[in-house]
Short mmCIF file of all heavy atoms in Angstrom, two decimals:
data_model
loop_
_atom_site.label_atom_id
_atom_site.label_comp_id
_atom_site.label_asym_id
_atom_site.label_seq_id
_atom_site.Cartn_x
_atom_site.Cartn_y
_atom_site.Cartn_z
N MET A 21 -14.40 9.12 3.00
CA MET A 21 -14.27 7.98 3.91
C MET A 21 -13.43 8.39 5.12
O MET A 21 -12.40 9.01 4.99
CB MET A 21 -13.57 6.83 3.18
CG MET A 21 -13.40 5.61 4.06
SD MET A 21 -13.38 4.10 3.11
CE MET A 21 -13.29 2.90 4.41
N SER A 22 -13.90 8.05 6.30
CA SER A 22 -13.14 8.42 7.49
C SER A 22 -12.73 7.16 8.24
O SER A 22 -13.37 6.13 8.15
CB SER A 22 -13.97 9.33 8.39
OG SER A 22 -15.01 8.60 8.97
N PHE A 23 -11.65 7.30 8.99
CA PHE A 23 -11.09 6.17 9.72
C PHE A 23 -11.19 6.44 11.21
O PHE A 23 -11.29 7.59 11.62
CB PHE A 23 -9.64 5.97 9.32
CG PHE A 23 -9.46 5.73 7.84
CD1 PHE A 23 -9.03 6.75 7.01
CD2 PHE A 23 -9.76 4.50 7.30
CE1 PHE A 23 -8.90 6.53 5.65
CE2 PHE A 23 -9.62 4.26 5.94
CZ PHE A 23 -9.19 5.28 5.11
N PRO A 24 -11.18 5.38 12.03
CA PRO A 24 -11.23 5.60 13.47
C PRO A 24 -10.03 6.40 13.95
O PRO A 24 -8.92 6.18 13.47
CB PRO A 24 -11.23 4.18 14.05
CG PRO A 24 -10.82 3.28 12.95
CD PRO A 24 -11.14 3.96 11.66
N ILE A 25 -10.28 7.34 14.87
CA ILE A 25 -9.19 8.13 15.42
C ILE A 25 -8.64 7.42 16.65
O ILE A 25 -9.38 7.05 17.56
CB ILE A 25 -9.70 9.53 15.82
CG1 ILE A 25 -10.26 10.27 14.60
CG2 ILE A 25 -8.56 10.34 16.47
CD1 ILE A 25 -9.24 10.60 13.54
N LYS A 26 -7.33 7.20 16.64
CA LYS A 26 -6.65 6.55 17.76
C LYS A 26 -5.67 7.52 18.37
O LYS A 26 -5.23 8.46 17.73
CB LYS A 26 -5.88 5.31 17.27
CG LYS A 26 -6.77 4.24 16.67
CD LYS A 26 -7.38 3.41 17.77
CE LYS A 26 -8.20 2.26 17.18
NZ LYS A 26 -8.84 1.46 18.22
N VAL A 27 -5.32 7.26 19.64
CA VAL A 27 -4.27 8.05 20.28
C VAL A 27 -3.01 7.20 20.36
O VAL A 27 -3.04 6.08 20.87
CB VAL A 27 -4.70 8.51 21.69
CG1 VAL A 27 -3.55 9.23 22.38
CG2 VAL A 27 -5.92 9.41 21.60
N CYS A 28 -1.93 7.73 19.84
CA CYS A 28 -0.67 6.99 19.82
C CYS A 28 -0.18 6.75 21.25
O CYS A 28 -0.16 7.66 22.07
CB CYS A 28 0.36 7.80 19.03
SG CYS A 28 2.00 7.08 19.08
N VAL A 29 0.21 5.50 21.54
CA VAL A 29 0.67 5.18 22.89
C VAL A 29 2.08 5.71 23.14
O VAL A 29 2.52 5.77 24.28
CB VAL A 29 0.67 3.65 23.14
CG1 VAL A 29 -0.75 3.10 23.11
CG2 VAL A 29 1.55 2.92 22.15
N VAL A 30 2.78 6.08 22.09
CA VAL A 30 4.16 6.54 22.25
C VAL A 30 4.22 8.05 22.44
O VAL A 30 4.78 8.54 23.41
CB VAL A 30 5.02 6.12 21.04
CG1 VAL A 30 6.45 6.63 21.20
CG2 VAL A 30 5.02 4.60 20.90
N CYS A 31 3.61 8.82 21.51
CA CYS A 31 3.74 10.27 21.58
C CYS A 31 2.45 10.95 22.02
O CYS A 31 2.44 12.14 22.27
CB CYS A 31 4.20 10.83 20.23
SG CYS A 31 2.98 10.64 18.92
N GLY A 32 1.33 10.20 22.10
CA GLY A 32 0.09 10.79 22.58
C GLY A 32 -0.67 11.58 21.53
O GLY A 32 -1.71 12.17 21.82
N GLU A 33 -0.18 11.59 20.32
CA GLU A 33 -0.86 12.30 19.24
C GLU A 33 -2.03 11.48 18.72
O GLU A 33 -1.96 10.25 18.67
CB GLU A 33 0.12 12.56 18.08
CG GLU A 33 1.18 13.60 18.39
CD GLU A 33 0.61 15.01 18.34
OE1 GLU A 33 -0.35 15.24 17.58
OE2 GLU A 33 1.13 15.87 19.05
N GLU A 34 -3.08 12.18 18.28
CA GLU A 34 -4.17 11.48 17.62
C GLU A 34 -3.79 11.21 16.17
O GLU A 34 -3.12 12.01 15.53
CB GLU A 34 -5.44 12.34 17.65
CG GLU A 34 -6.08 12.37 19.02
CD GLU A 34 -7.41 13.11 19.02
OE1 GLU A 34 -7.71 13.80 18.02
OE2 GLU A 34 -8.13 13.00 20.00
N PHE A 35 -4.24 10.05 15.68
CA PHE A 35 -3.99 9.75 14.27
C PHE A 35 -5.12 8.89 13.75
O PHE A 35 -5.86 8.27 14.52
CB PHE A 35 -2.64 9.04 14.10
CG PHE A 35 -2.61 7.65 14.72
CD1 PHE A 35 -2.82 6.54 13.94
CD2 PHE A 35 -2.37 7.49 16.07
CE1 PHE A 35 -2.80 5.27 14.50
CE2 PHE A 35 -2.34 6.23 16.64
CZ PHE A 35 -2.57 5.12 15.86
N GLU A 36 -5.28 8.86 12.42
CA GLU A 36 -6.30 8.04 11.78
C GLU A 36 -5.75 6.63 11.62
O GLU A 36 -4.67 6.43 11.05
CB GLU A 36 -6.66 8.60 10.41
CG GLU A 36 -7.59 9.79 10.47
CD GLU A 36 -7.99 10.22 9.07
OE1 GLU A 36 -7.26 9.94 8.11
OE2 GLU A 36 -9.06 10.84 8.94
N LEU A 37 -6.51 5.66 12.09
CA LEU A 37 -6.09 4.27 11.92
C LEU A 37 -6.61 3.77 10.58
O LEU A 37 -7.77 3.42 10.43
CB LEU A 37 -6.63 3.41 13.05
CG LEU A 37 -6.27 1.92 12.93
CD1 LEU A 37 -4.76 1.72 12.95
CD2 LEU A 37 -6.91 1.13 14.06
N LYS A 38 -5.73 3.78 9.60
CA LYS A 38 -6.12 3.31 8.27
C LYS A 38 -5.91 1.81 8.18
O LYS A 38 -5.01 1.27 8.79
CB LYS A 38 -5.30 4.05 7.20
CG LYS A 38 -5.58 5.53 7.26
CD LYS A 38 -4.85 6.29 6.19
CE LYS A 38 -5.22 7.77 6.32
NZ LYS A 38 -4.48 8.63 5.41
N PRO A 39 -6.76 1.13 7.39
CA PRO A 39 -6.72 -0.33 7.33
C PRO A 39 -5.35 -0.89 6.96
O PRO A 39 -4.95 -1.92 7.45
CB PRO A 39 -7.75 -0.68 6.25
CG PRO A 39 -8.65 0.48 6.20
CD PRO A 39 -7.82 1.69 6.55
N ASN A 40 -4.64 -0.21 6.08
CA ASN A 40 -3.36 -0.76 5.63
C ASN A 40 -2.17 -0.05 6.26
O ASN A 40 -1.07 -0.10 5.74
CB ASN A 40 -3.26 -0.69 4.10
CG ASN A 40 -3.42 0.72 3.59
OD1 ASN A 40 -3.70 1.64 4.36
ND2 ASN A 40 -3.24 0.92 2.30
N LYS A 41 -2.42 0.63 7.40
CA LYS A 41 -1.32 1.33 8.07
C LYS A 41 -0.28 0.33 8.53
O LYS A 41 -0.60 -0.64 9.20
CB LYS A 41 -1.85 2.10 9.28
CG LYS A 41 -0.79 2.96 9.95
CD LYS A 41 -1.30 3.56 11.24
CE LYS A 41 -0.92 2.73 12.46
NZ LYS A 41 0.52 2.53 12.59
N PRO A 42 0.98 0.55 8.16
CA PRO A 42 2.03 -0.35 8.62
C PRO A 42 2.32 -0.16 10.10
O PRO A 42 2.05 0.90 10.65
CB PRO A 42 3.24 0.06 7.76
CG PRO A 42 2.99 1.47 7.39
CD PRO A 42 1.49 1.63 7.33
N GLY A 43 2.86 -1.18 10.74
CA GLY A 43 3.25 -1.06 12.14
C GLY A 43 2.10 -1.34 13.08
O GLY A 43 1.12 -1.97 12.71
N PHE A 44 2.22 -0.84 14.30
CA PHE A 44 1.24 -1.14 15.34
C PHE A 44 -0.02 -0.32 15.17
O PHE A 44 0.03 0.83 14.72
CB PHE A 44 1.84 -0.86 16.72
CG PHE A 44 3.01 -1.75 17.04
CD1 PHE A 44 4.31 -1.30 16.84
CD2 PHE A 44 2.80 -3.03 17.52
CE1 PHE A 44 5.39 -2.10 17.13
CE2 PHE A 44 3.89 -3.85 17.82
CZ PHE A 44 5.18 -3.39 17.61
N ALA A 45 -1.17 -0.91 15.56
CA ALA A 45 -2.45 -0.21 15.44
C ALA A 45 -2.58 0.90 16.47
O ALA A 45 -3.40 1.79 16.31
CB ALA A 45 -3.60 -1.20 15.60
N ASN A 46 -1.80 0.83 17.55
CA ASN A 46 -1.92 1.85 18.59
C ASN A 46 -0.76 2.85 18.57
O ASN A 46 -0.48 3.52 19.55
CB ASN A 46 -2.05 1.21 19.98
CG ASN A 46 -0.87 0.30 20.29
OD1 ASN A 46 0.02 0.14 19.47
ND2 ASN A 46 -0.88 -0.28 21.47
N ARG A 47 -0.08 2.94 17.43
CA ARG A 47 0.99 3.92 17.27
C ARG A 47 0.75 4.71 16.00
O ARG A 47 0.31 4.15 14.99
CB ARG A 47 2.35 3.24 17.17
CG ARG A 47 2.75 2.55 18.46
CD ARG A 47 4.15 2.03 18.35
NE ARG A 47 4.51 1.26 19.54
CZ ARG A 47 5.73 0.83 19.80
NH1 ARG A 47 6.69 1.07 18.94
NH2 ARG A 47 5.97 0.16 20.89
N CYS A 48 1.08 5.99 16.05
CA CYS A 48 0.93 6.82 14.86
C CYS A 48 1.98 6.40 13.82
O CYS A 48 2.96 5.72 14.16
CB CYS A 48 1.06 8.30 15.21
SG CYS A 48 2.73 8.79 15.67
N PRO A 49 1.78 6.77 12.56
CA PRO A 49 2.72 6.36 11.51
C PRO A 49 4.16 6.73 11.82
O PRO A 49 5.08 5.96 11.54
CB PRO A 49 2.21 7.11 10.27
CG PRO A 49 0.75 7.30 10.54
CD PRO A 49 0.63 7.49 12.03
N GLU A 50 4.37 7.92 12.40
CA GLU A 50 5.73 8.34 12.71
C GLU A 50 6.39 7.39 13.70
O GLU A 50 7.53 6.97 13.52
CB GLU A 50 5.74 9.76 13.29
CG GLU A 50 5.55 10.85 12.25
CD GLU A 50 4.07 11.06 11.91
OE1 GLU A 50 3.21 10.38 12.49
OE2 GLU A 50 3.80 11.90 11.08
N CYS A 51 5.68 7.06 14.77
CA CYS A 51 6.26 6.19 15.80
C CYS A 51 6.38 4.76 15.29
O CYS A 51 7.29 4.04 15.67
CB CYS A 51 5.41 6.25 17.07
SG CYS A 51 5.45 7.88 17.85
N SER A 52 5.49 4.34 14.44
CA SER A 52 5.61 3.01 13.84
C SER A 52 6.87 2.93 12.99
O SER A 52 7.59 1.93 13.01
CB SER A 52 4.40 2.70 12.95
OG SER A 52 3.23 2.69 13.71
N ALA A 53 7.15 4.00 12.26
CA ALA A 53 8.32 4.02 11.40
C ALA A 53 9.59 3.95 12.24
O ALA A 53 10.55 3.27 11.88
CB ALA A 53 8.32 5.27 10.55
N ASP A 54 9.60 4.66 13.37
CA ASP A 54 10.78 4.66 14.23
C ASP A 54 11.10 3.26 14.75
O ASP A 54 12.24 2.86 14.82
CB ASP A 54 10.56 5.58 15.43
CG ASP A 54 10.70 7.04 15.03
OD1 ASP A 54 11.24 7.31 13.94
OD2 ASP A 54 10.26 7.90 15.79
N GLU A 55 10.05 2.53 15.15
CA GLU A 55 10.27 1.29 15.86
C GLU A 55 10.23 0.07 14.94
O GLU A 55 10.56 -1.02 15.36
CB GLU A 55 9.18 1.12 16.94
CG GLU A 55 9.22 2.21 17.98
CD GLU A 55 9.84 1.73 19.28
OE1 GLU A 55 9.73 0.53 19.57
OE2 GLU A 55 10.42 2.55 19.99
N GLY A 56 9.80 0.26 13.71
CA GLY A 56 9.62 -0.88 12.82
C GLY A 56 10.91 -1.65 12.60
O GLY A 56 11.97 -1.06 12.40
N SER A 57 10.81 -2.95 12.63
CA SER A 57 11.98 -3.77 12.32
C SER A 57 12.29 -3.65 10.83
O SER A 57 11.41 -3.82 10.00
CB SER A 57 11.70 -5.22 12.70
OG SER A 57 12.30 -6.08 11.76
N ASP A 58 13.52 -3.36 10.52
CA ASP A 58 13.90 -3.14 9.13
C ASP A 58 13.57 -4.34 8.25
O ASP A 58 13.04 -4.21 7.17
CB ASP A 58 15.40 -2.85 9.03
CG ASP A 58 15.69 -1.38 9.29
OD1 ASP A 58 14.71 -0.64 9.49
OD2 ASP A 58 16.85 -1.00 9.32
N LEU A 59 13.88 -5.51 8.76
CA LEU A 59 13.70 -6.71 7.96
C LEU A 59 12.23 -6.97 7.66
O LEU A 59 11.85 -7.20 6.52
CB LEU A 59 14.28 -7.91 8.71
CG LEU A 59 15.48 -8.57 8.00
CD1 LEU A 59 16.15 -9.58 8.91
CD2 LEU A 59 15.01 -9.23 6.72
N ALA A 60 11.38 -6.88 8.70
CA ALA A 60 9.95 -7.14 8.52
C ALA A 60 9.36 -6.11 7.56
O ALA A 60 8.60 -6.44 6.66
CB ALA A 60 9.23 -7.09 9.85
N THR A 61 9.74 -4.84 7.77
CA THR A 61 9.23 -3.79 6.89
C THR A 61 9.67 -4.04 5.46
O THR A 61 8.89 -3.90 4.54
CB THR A 61 9.76 -2.43 7.35
OG1 THR A 61 9.48 -2.27 8.73
CG2 THR A 61 9.12 -1.30 6.57
N LYS A 62 10.92 -4.44 5.31
CA LYS A 62 11.47 -4.61 3.98
C LYS A 62 10.75 -5.73 3.22
O LYS A 62 10.36 -5.56 2.08
CB LYS A 62 12.96 -4.92 4.08
CG LYS A 62 13.69 -4.61 2.79
CD LYS A 62 15.19 -4.72 3.01
CE LYS A 62 15.93 -4.27 1.76
NZ LYS A 62 17.34 -4.07 2.04
N SER A 63 10.56 -6.87 3.89
CA SER A 63 9.95 -7.98 3.18
C SER A 63 8.49 -7.67 2.86
O SER A 63 7.98 -8.08 1.83
CB SER A 63 10.06 -9.27 3.99
OG SER A 63 9.27 -9.19 5.13
N ARG A 64 7.84 -6.90 3.76
CA ARG A 64 6.46 -6.52 3.47
C ARG A 64 6.43 -5.58 2.27
O ARG A 64 5.58 -5.69 1.41
CB ARG A 64 5.84 -5.85 4.70
CG ARG A 64 4.33 -5.74 4.59
CD ARG A 64 3.69 -5.49 5.95
NE ARG A 64 4.35 -4.40 6.66
CZ ARG A 64 4.72 -4.43 7.94
NH1 ARG A 64 4.49 -5.49 8.66
NH2 ARG A 64 5.32 -3.42 8.51
N MET A 65 7.39 -4.65 2.24
CA MET A 65 7.46 -3.72 1.12
C MET A 65 7.68 -4.49 -0.18
O MET A 65 7.07 -4.20 -1.19
CB MET A 65 8.64 -2.75 1.32
CG MET A 65 8.40 -1.77 2.45
SD MET A 65 7.64 -0.25 1.86
CE MET A 65 9.07 0.55 1.13
N ASP A 66 8.58 -5.47 -0.14
CA ASP A 66 8.86 -6.25 -1.33
C ASP A 66 7.60 -6.94 -1.84
O ASP A 66 7.33 -6.94 -3.03
CB ASP A 66 9.93 -7.29 -1.04
CG ASP A 66 11.31 -6.65 -0.99
OD1 ASP A 66 11.41 -5.46 -1.34
OD2 ASP A 66 12.27 -7.32 -0.58
N ALA A 67 6.84 -7.53 -0.93
CA ALA A 67 5.62 -8.22 -1.33
C ALA A 67 4.64 -7.24 -1.95
O ALA A 67 4.04 -7.51 -3.00
CB ALA A 67 4.99 -8.90 -0.13
N ASP A 68 4.50 -6.07 -1.31
CA ASP A 68 3.60 -5.05 -1.85
C ASP A 68 4.09 -4.59 -3.21
O ASP A 68 3.30 -4.40 -4.13
CB ASP A 68 3.53 -3.84 -0.90
CG ASP A 68 2.59 -4.11 0.25
OD1 ASP A 68 1.89 -5.13 0.21
OD2 ASP A 68 2.56 -3.30 1.19
N GLU A 69 5.39 -4.40 -3.30
CA GLU A 69 5.98 -3.92 -4.55
C GLU A 69 5.71 -4.91 -5.68
O GLU A 69 5.30 -4.52 -6.76
CB GLU A 69 7.48 -3.77 -4.36
CG GLU A 69 8.05 -2.51 -4.98
CD GLU A 69 9.47 -2.27 -4.52
OE1 GLU A 69 10.37 -2.78 -5.19
OE2 GLU A 69 9.65 -1.63 -3.48
N ARG A 70 5.95 -6.18 -5.35
CA ARG A 70 5.72 -7.21 -6.36
C ARG A 70 4.28 -7.21 -6.82
O ARG A 70 4.00 -7.31 -8.00
CB ARG A 70 6.08 -8.58 -5.78
CG ARG A 70 7.39 -9.11 -6.30
CD ARG A 70 7.51 -10.60 -6.08
NE ARG A 70 7.30 -10.96 -4.69
CZ ARG A 70 8.24 -10.95 -3.77
NH1 ARG A 70 9.46 -10.61 -4.09
NH2 ARG A 70 7.99 -11.28 -2.53
N ARG A 71 3.36 -7.09 -5.84
CA ARG A 71 1.94 -7.15 -6.18
C ARG A 71 1.57 -5.96 -7.05
O ARG A 71 0.90 -6.10 -8.06
CB ARG A 71 1.08 -7.18 -4.92
CG ARG A 71 -0.37 -7.51 -5.24
CD ARG A 71 -1.18 -7.77 -3.98
NE ARG A 71 -1.02 -6.70 -3.02
CZ ARG A 71 -0.80 -6.89 -1.73
NH1 ARG A 71 -0.70 -8.09 -1.25
NH2 ARG A 71 -0.68 -5.87 -0.91
N SER A 72 2.02 -4.77 -6.65
CA SER A 72 1.64 -3.59 -7.42
C SER A 72 2.30 -3.63 -8.79
O SER A 72 1.73 -3.15 -9.76
CB SER A 72 2.01 -2.30 -6.68
OG SER A 72 3.41 -2.14 -6.65
N GLN A 73 3.48 -4.24 -8.86
CA GLN A 73 4.14 -4.35 -10.15
C GLN A 73 3.35 -5.28 -11.07
O GLN A 73 3.15 -4.99 -12.24
CB GLN A 73 5.54 -4.91 -9.95
CG GLN A 73 6.43 -4.66 -11.16
CD GLN A 73 7.88 -4.49 -10.71
OE1 GLN A 73 8.36 -5.27 -9.91
NE2 GLN A 73 8.55 -3.48 -11.21
N SER A 74 2.89 -6.41 -10.53
CA SER A 74 2.14 -7.34 -11.37
C SER A 74 0.80 -6.73 -11.75
O SER A 74 0.28 -6.97 -12.83
CB SER A 74 1.96 -8.67 -10.67
OG SER A 74 0.92 -8.63 -9.74
N GLU A 75 0.24 -5.91 -10.85
CA GLU A 75 -1.01 -5.22 -11.19
C GLU A 75 -0.76 -4.23 -12.32
O GLU A 75 -1.57 -4.09 -13.23
CB GLU A 75 -1.57 -4.49 -9.97
CG GLU A 75 -2.42 -5.40 -9.10
CD GLU A 75 -2.76 -4.76 -7.77
OE1 GLU A 75 -2.56 -3.54 -7.63
OE2 GLU A 75 -3.22 -5.48 -6.87
N ALA A 76 0.38 -3.55 -12.27
CA ALA A 76 0.73 -2.58 -13.31
C ALA A 76 0.91 -3.30 -14.63
O ALA A 76 0.44 -2.84 -15.67
CB ALA A 76 1.99 -1.83 -12.92
N ASN A 77 1.59 -4.45 -14.59
CA ASN A 77 1.78 -5.23 -15.82
C ASN A 77 0.44 -5.66 -16.40
O ASN A 77 0.22 -5.58 -17.59
CB ASN A 77 2.62 -6.47 -15.52
CG ASN A 77 4.08 -6.11 -15.34
OD1 ASN A 77 4.52 -5.04 -15.76
ND2 ASN A 77 4.82 -6.99 -14.70
N GLU A 78 -0.43 -6.10 -15.51
CA GLU A 78 -1.75 -6.55 -15.93
C GLU A 78 -2.50 -5.41 -16.61
O GLU A 78 -3.10 -5.57 -17.67
CB GLU A 78 -2.53 -7.04 -14.72
CG GLU A 78 -3.84 -7.74 -15.07
CD GLU A 78 -3.60 -9.07 -15.78
OE1 GLU A 78 -2.61 -9.74 -15.45
OE2 GLU A 78 -4.40 -9.39 -16.66
N ALA A 79 -2.42 -4.22 -15.99
CA ALA A 79 -3.11 -3.05 -16.53
C ALA A 79 -2.53 -2.68 -17.89
O ALA A 79 -3.27 -2.33 -18.81
CB ALA A 79 -2.98 -1.88 -15.57
N ARG A 80 -1.21 -2.80 -18.00
CA ARG A 80 -0.57 -2.45 -19.26
C ARG A 80 -0.99 -3.42 -20.36
O ARG A 80 -1.31 -3.03 -21.48
CB ARG A 80 0.95 -2.48 -19.09
CG ARG A 80 1.67 -1.81 -20.24
CD ARG A 80 3.05 -1.33 -19.84
NE ARG A 80 3.74 -2.31 -19.02
CZ ARG A 80 4.49 -2.01 -17.97
NH1 ARG A 80 4.63 -0.77 -17.60
NH2 ARG A 80 5.09 -2.95 -17.27
N ARG A 81 -1.02 -4.71 -20.00
CA ARG A 81 -1.43 -5.73 -20.97
C ARG A 81 -2.86 -5.47 -21.44
O ARG A 81 -3.20 -5.56 -22.61
CB ARG A 81 -1.33 -7.11 -20.34
CG ARG A 81 -0.72 -8.13 -21.27
CD ARG A 81 -0.41 -9.42 -20.54
NE ARG A 81 0.45 -9.18 -19.39
CZ ARG A 81 0.44 -9.89 -18.27
NH1 ARG A 81 -0.41 -10.85 -18.11
NH2 ARG A 81 1.26 -9.61 -17.29
N GLU A 82 -3.70 -5.13 -20.45
CA GLU A 82 -5.10 -4.84 -20.75
C GLU A 82 -5.20 -3.66 -21.72
O GLU A 82 -5.96 -3.69 -22.69
CB GLU A 82 -5.84 -4.52 -19.44
CG GLU A 82 -7.33 -4.31 -19.60
CD GLU A 82 -8.10 -5.62 -19.52
OE1 GLU A 82 -7.54 -6.61 -19.03
OE2 GLU A 82 -9.26 -5.64 -19.93
N ALA A 83 -4.42 -2.63 -21.45
CA ALA A 83 -4.45 -1.44 -22.29
C ALA A 83 -4.00 -1.76 -23.70
O ALA A 83 -4.59 -1.31 -24.69
CB ALA A 83 -3.57 -0.36 -21.69
N MET A 84 -2.94 -2.57 -23.79
CA MET A 84 -2.44 -2.99 -25.10
C MET A 84 -3.51 -3.75 -25.87
O MET A 84 -3.72 -3.53 -27.08
CB MET A 84 -1.21 -3.90 -24.93
CG MET A 84 -0.02 -3.17 -24.38
SD MET A 84 0.88 -2.31 -25.67
CE MET A 84 2.06 -3.59 -26.12
N ARG A 85 -4.18 -4.65 -25.16
CA ARG A 85 -5.21 -5.47 -25.80
C ARG A 85 -6.32 -4.56 -26.33
O ARG A 85 -6.78 -4.72 -27.46
CB ARG A 85 -5.76 -6.46 -24.78
CG ARG A 85 -6.24 -7.75 -25.42
CD ARG A 85 -6.70 -8.73 -24.37
NE ARG A 85 -5.66 -9.03 -23.39
CZ ARG A 85 -5.86 -9.19 -22.09
NH1 ARG A 85 -7.06 -9.06 -21.58
NH2 ARG A 85 -4.87 -9.48 -21.29
N ASN A 86 -6.73 -3.62 -25.51
CA ASN A 86 -7.79 -2.70 -25.93
C ASN A 86 -7.36 -1.92 -27.17
O ASN A 86 -8.15 -1.70 -28.08
CB ASN A 86 -8.12 -1.73 -24.79
CG ASN A 86 -8.86 -2.43 -23.67
OD1 ASN A 86 -9.39 -3.53 -23.87
ND2 ASN A 86 -8.90 -1.82 -22.51
N LEU A 87 -6.10 -1.51 -27.16
CA LEU A 87 -5.56 -0.74 -28.27
C LEU A 87 -5.61 -1.57 -29.56
O LEU A 87 -6.02 -1.11 -30.61
CB LEU A 87 -4.11 -0.35 -27.96
CG LEU A 87 -3.68 1.03 -28.44
CD1 LEU A 87 -4.28 2.10 -27.55
CD2 LEU A 87 -2.17 1.13 -28.41
N LEU A 88 -5.19 -2.85 -29.45
CA LEU A 88 -5.16 -3.72 -30.62
C LEU A 88 -6.57 -3.95 -31.16
O LEU A 88 -6.81 -3.90 -32.36
CB LEU A 88 -4.53 -5.07 -30.25
CG LEU A 88 -3.01 -4.99 -30.05
CD1 LEU A 88 -2.49 -6.34 -29.56
CD2 LEU A 88 -2.32 -4.63 -31.35
N TYR A 89 -7.48 -4.22 -30.23
CA TYR A 89 -8.86 -4.46 -30.67
C TYR A 89 -9.42 -3.25 -31.39
O TYR A 89 -10.12 -3.36 -32.39
CB TYR A 89 -9.75 -4.81 -29.46
CG TYR A 89 -9.58 -6.24 -29.02
CD1 TYR A 89 -9.56 -6.56 -27.66
CD2 TYR A 89 -9.45 -7.27 -29.95
CE1 TYR A 89 -9.40 -7.87 -27.25
CE2 TYR A 89 -9.29 -8.56 -29.55
CZ TYR A 89 -9.27 -8.87 -28.20
OH TYR A 89 -9.12 -10.16 -27.79
N ARG A 90 -9.09 -2.08 -30.83
CA ARG A 90 -9.63 -0.85 -31.40
C ARG A 90 -9.08 -0.67 -32.84
O ARG A 90 -9.78 -0.21 -33.73
CB ARG A 90 -9.26 0.34 -30.52
CG ARG A 90 -10.30 1.45 -30.60
CD ARG A 90 -10.03 2.51 -29.56
NE ARG A 90 -10.09 1.97 -28.22
CZ ARG A 90 -9.36 2.37 -27.18
NH1 ARG A 90 -8.48 3.35 -27.35
NH2 ARG A 90 -9.48 1.85 -26.00
N LYS A 91 -7.81 -1.07 -33.00
CA LYS A 91 -7.20 -0.91 -34.31
C LYS A 91 -7.87 -1.83 -35.33
O LYS A 91 -8.06 -1.48 -36.49
CB LYS A 91 -5.71 -1.25 -34.20
CG LYS A 91 -4.86 -0.41 -35.17
CD LYS A 91 -3.43 -0.87 -35.19
CE LYS A 91 -2.60 -0.28 -34.06
NZ LYS A 91 -1.23 -0.80 -34.05
N ASP A 92 -8.19 -3.06 -34.89
CA ASP A 92 -8.78 -4.05 -35.79
C ASP A 92 -10.16 -3.63 -36.26
O ASP A 92 -10.52 -3.83 -37.42
CB ASP A 92 -8.90 -5.39 -35.09
CG ASP A 92 -7.52 -6.06 -35.04
OD1 ASP A 92 -6.61 -5.59 -35.75
OD2 ASP A 92 -7.37 -7.02 -34.28
N SER A 93 -10.95 -3.06 -35.40
CA SER A 93 -12.34 -2.79 -35.73
C SER A 93 -12.50 -1.50 -36.55
O SER A 93 -11.63 -0.68 -36.57
CB SER A 93 -13.19 -2.71 -34.46
OG SER A 93 -12.75 -1.65 -33.68
ZN1 ZN B 103 3.30 8.64 17.89
#
């Protein structure tokens, strides 16, 4: 899978614009990281963290369930 190539408005480097890239769409990841507001980044990270954590829990529960079923049969 390939992503559109953009030129960063800050440093002029080409970069791949990935759908979930944090920060500005016209800045490379490095320049986005430099300029990102700590608070906004942090709360977004927390939300992502929470979601991935609940996904992990869900996956673990699923695995446990599969294990139990396999034991019963
Ligand atoms: Zn840049």
Side-chain angles (χ1 to χ4, degrees):
M21 180 152 184
S22 71
F23 302 101
I25 300 295
K26 297 279 184 181
V27 175
C28 174
V29 294
V30 179
C31 67
E33 289 284 331
E34 286 185 347
F35 67 97
E36 282 185 336
L37 178 61
K38 298 183 179 175
N40 58 355
K41 185 188 95 57
F44 296 98
N46 58 359
R47 294 186 185 189
C48 70
E50 284 82 1
C51 294
S52 297
D54 284 344
E55 298 256 331
S57 144
D58 276 357
L59 245 170
T61 308
K62 201 171 186 167
S63 68
R64 194 162 49 226
M65 290 268 283
D66 284 351
D68 280 351
E69 222 168 90
R70 256 198 305 275
R71 191 171 51 226
S72 70
Q73 198 149 46
S74 80
E75 274 169 14
N77 285 341
E78 189 68 34
R80 194 156 42 220
R81 223 170 304 149
E82 184 87 17
M84 292 277 269
R85 210 177 303 141
N86 289 343
L87 217 75
L88 286 175
Y89 281 141
R90 209 171 299 147
K91 213 188 276 177
D92 283 347
S93 63

